[in-house]
Amino acid sequence: QAQLVESGGGLVQPGGSLRLSCAASGIIFNIYTMAWYRQAPGKQRELVATITGGGSTNYVGSVKGRFTISRDNAKNTVFLQMTTLKPEDTAVYYCTAQRPPINYWGQGTQVTVSS
């Protein structure tokens, strides 16, 4: 059974950094595109970044230059390094494993950017 477990969220001051991790099990990790989404209170869930099995990446415009998605296929883990965090980055961050029509989701981890 597929399982995605996020970790690394927390409270950070504006301008600070956090590194999110997502450990996958029950899937052939390297054939899945991995992605991070986020959902802020009262807003729709939005795609933040994706990384293919081969390592190609894409980012939403608001995080380009600040966030970096990466993966370790040997450890079945995807990361999201977040720097220069802003209050508007506050959200629950979700990890997904995508291989259409299959899409697995983690339970989410809270990131709060506040002074």
Side-chain angles (χ1 to χ4, degrees), residues 69-101:
I69 190 171
S70 61
R71 64 192 294 161
D72 184 336
N73 287 338
K75 296 183 178 180
N76 289 4
T77 302
V78 63
F79 305 97
L80 186 68
Q81 178 69 50
M82 305 185 293
T83 64
T84 321
L85 282 160
K86 305 175 181 181
E88 51 264 42
D89 295 317
T90 295
V92 178
Y93 283 71
Y94 298 89
C95 167
T96 75
Q98 303 171 350
R99 185 170 171 82

Side-chain angles (χ1 to χ4, degrees), residues 38-115:
R38 67 185 179 186
Q39 187 166 20
K43 295 188 176 182
Q44 288 189 331
R45 191 171 296 186
E46 69 167 346
L47 177 63
V48 175
T50 63
I51 184 166
T52 66
S56 297
T57 60
N58 274 295
Y59 300 90
V60 68
S62 59
V63 309
K64 281 184 180 178
R66 299 190 299 122
F67 291 11
T68 303
I69 190 171
S70 61
R71 64 192 294 161
D72 184 336
N73 287 338
K75 296 183 178 180
N76 289 4
T77 302
V78 63
F79 305 97
L80 186 68
Q81 178 69 50
M82 305 185 293
T83 64
T84 321
L85 282 160
K86 305 175 181 181
E88 51 264 42
D89 295 317
T90 295
V92 178
Y93 283 71
Y94 298 89
C95 167
T96 75
Q98 303 171 350
R99 185 170 171 82
I102 298 169
N103 194 2
Y104 298 115
W105 289 83
Q107 82 288 349
T109 185
Q110 176 70 46
V111 172
T112 303
V113 185
S114 175
S115 54

